[in-house]
Amino acid sequence: MTVLFRPALFILFAFFLLSACKPGDRPQEKRTRFLMGTLVEISIPGPATARTEEASNLAFAEMARLEQMMSTHRPDSELSRVNDNAGGSFTPVSPELIEVVRRGLEWGERSQGALAMSLGPVVDLWHFDGESGPPPAGESLAQALTRVDESGIEIREQEIRLKRPGMKLDLGAIAKGFAVDRAIGVLASRGVKNALVNAGGDLSVLGRPSAEKAWRVGLQHPRKPEALVAAFDAEGIAVATSGDYQRYFLHEDVRYHHLLVPATGLPSRKLISATLVAKNAADADALATAVFVLGREKGLELIESLKNVEGMVIDASGEVGFSTGFKKLPGFEFRGYP
Ligand code: AMP
Ligand code: MG
């Protein structure tokens, strides 16, 4: 039997941020939109005004624009045009798409291939967004893997080409974080000083909710959606988590999730979650996926090699690992696991 856990279901449980409002707290304006396959929340402290409403609407509109550019689910997106032209000519694309692909390539290199945007043909076989299981057959996986090749991604100033027919880019590991950064940029450009943008756990902040306290981020327990594993204050940072509980199906009691090892096309079994803290959400997002695939030892090694990046990983045996600075995040609190 196969059971699919659809993204829509997951979203109900995916609130990483506990912005518990106590009596006496300042009012907080919160708006949500369904974008990039998740519920995106923009919180701005203080009473809603025409100015903050306009700023939030523009931030959402920017995220919607990026989704329209980078989605593989939209046949008319720029990314779909690049994919449709695989093996053919260069496709003119927006600078944002070039930037995301460049950054994805860089994190792919720095993670020794744990992050691979060219996994598109393999991602498609798993159908994590539609029907569920059974897992793809060995031959079809092997066939799709022959079309996974980061060195086949060619970038020119304003255009991209995939060298071979059947290649396909999937930006699911990084685009959401990039969009969060851009939303924060839009809010700041409209004069908003304090805000939080949370796209299903990939989040970034501006300022703080009040003079007395910073934005508080809680990390969801991978197996108990209503519980937290850890919490900390977020100021001037972004946070992203990749977990085996976010998109998956069960087939004959085995969990098949959406975080794939590029070399095999199979779900990575080393970790059940990886949370990354970085200066921006695009890097946190890309690194969360890469570290999840790398596993505890290599993942933490990568994190330690990077400035201004911290991480927390939970491995398949339930052990929790931290980078040296993670527990030094302000207001850090470990609630325990399992
Ligand atoms: P995230 O939720 O940010 O960890 O990204 C997961 C999504 O990225 C998946 O749903 C796939 O679309 C894609 N993906 C899965 N495994 C990889 C990988 N190893 N490298 C790049 N993208 C991946
Ligand atoms: Mg990611």
Side-chain angles (χ1 to χ4, degrees):
M1 202 200 52
T2 307
V3 188
L4 175 71
F5 293 80
R6 289 176 188 282
L9 234 185
F10 148 69
I11 285 147
L12 294 173
F13 305 108
F15 288 94
F16 279 62
L17 181 88
L18 287 195
S19 47
C21 270
K22 291 183 240 65
D25 274 4
R26 288 175 69 199
Q28 205 175 98
E29 179 192 350
K30 249 189 222 179
R31 293 200 163 75
T32 53
R33 295 269 172 91
F34 193 82
L35 285 164
M36 307 191 118
T38 195
L39 202 60
V40 180
E41 180 184 270
I42 297 182
S43 307
I44 301 178
T49 64
R51 193 178 58 84
T52 57
E53 178 170 5
E54 192 197 3
S56 309
N57 285 340
L58 289 170
F60 282 131
E62 174 65 357
M63 294 181 82
R65 185 181 74 88
L66 295 170
E67 178 178 21
Q68 176 54 39
M69 189 186 297
M70 302 188 195
S71 170
T72 50
H73 301 294
R74 303 197 176 186
D76 56 344
S77 71
E78 286 188 13
L79 186 64
S80 291
R81 252 178 280 143
V82 170
N83 288 334
D84 290 344
N85 282 342
S89 53
F90 273 89
T91 307
V93 295
S94 301
E96 292 91 340
L97 184 58
I98 302 251
E99 185 183 342
V100 168
V101 173
R102 277 197 205 284
R103 288 168 77 171
L105 282 174
E106 188 176 333
W107 287 123
E109 269 173 36
R110 297 181 80 162
S111 65
Q112 296 160 24
L115 190 80
M117 295 170 292
S118 62
L119 261 179
V122 175
V123 172
D124 282 354
L125 287 181
W126 284 95
H127 301 297
F128 284 110
D129 289 318
E131 75 266 38
S132 59
E139 308 104 73
S140 40
L141 260 186
Q143 212 289 325
L145 280 168
T146 63
R147 290 176 278 136
V148 174
D149 175 14
E150 297 292 276
S151 71
I153 305 171
E154 293 182 310
I155 304 179
R156 284 194 202 152
E157 206 171 316
Q158 288 168 1
E159 43 188 23
I160 300 186
R161 183 173 94 108
L162 303 177
K163 267 188 196 150
R164 289 167 39 217
M167 282 183 71
K168 180 171 180 180
L169 294 187
D170 177 309
L171 303 178
I174 177 169
K176 212 182 338 149
F178 182 83
V180 166
D181 289 334
R182 288 297 163 113
I184 286 279
V186 168
L187 294 172
S189 75
R190 305 304 289 194
V192 174
K193 300 270 182 300
N194 305 293
L196 177 138
V197 179
N198 182 12
D202 290 1
L203 61 91
S204 187
V205 299
L206 275 177
R208 26 172 56 217
S210 71
E212 302 80 49
K213 58 177 189 183
W215 295 104
R216 186 103 185 127
V217 174
L219 303 181
Q220 188 190 354
H221 190 297
R223 297 292 179 262
K224 298 178 199 154
E226 67 294 344
L228 296 184
V229 177
F232 53 86
D233 293 339
E235 202 160 359
I237 57 167
V239 186
T241 297
S242 288
D244 73 351
Y245 53 94
Q246 293 171 332
R247 272 175 201 214
Y248 67 99
F249 60 81
L250 294 177
H251 178 74
E252 293 172 351
D253 292 334
V254 178
R255 180 189 291 252
Y256 294 92
H257 62 77
H258 69 140
L259 298 156
L260 308 169
V261 182
T264 62
L266 299 170
S268 180
R269 298 289 179 203
K270 292 177 176 157
L271 295 180
I272 63 174
S273 93
T275 296
L276 268 287
V277 171
K279 284 286 171 204
N280 63 73
D283 290 341
D285 189 3
L287 277 165
T289 311
V291 166
F292 187 99
V293 171
L294 284 171
R296 183 185 164 121
E297 197 181 325
K298 284 192 171 162
L300 289 177
E301 204 176 287
L302 172 62
I303 295 168
E304 297 295 358
S305 75
L306 302 167
K307 234 177 109 183
N308 294 324
V309 175
E310 300 296 342
M312 180 189 100
V313 299
I314 305 179
D315 75 17
S317 69
E319 291 278 316
V320 184
F322 299 94
S323 65
T324 5
F326 200 91
K327 290 181 178 174
K328 294 180 199 142
L329 290 169
F332 175 80
E333 183 193 342
F334 184 55
R335 301 266 177 99
Y337 190 85

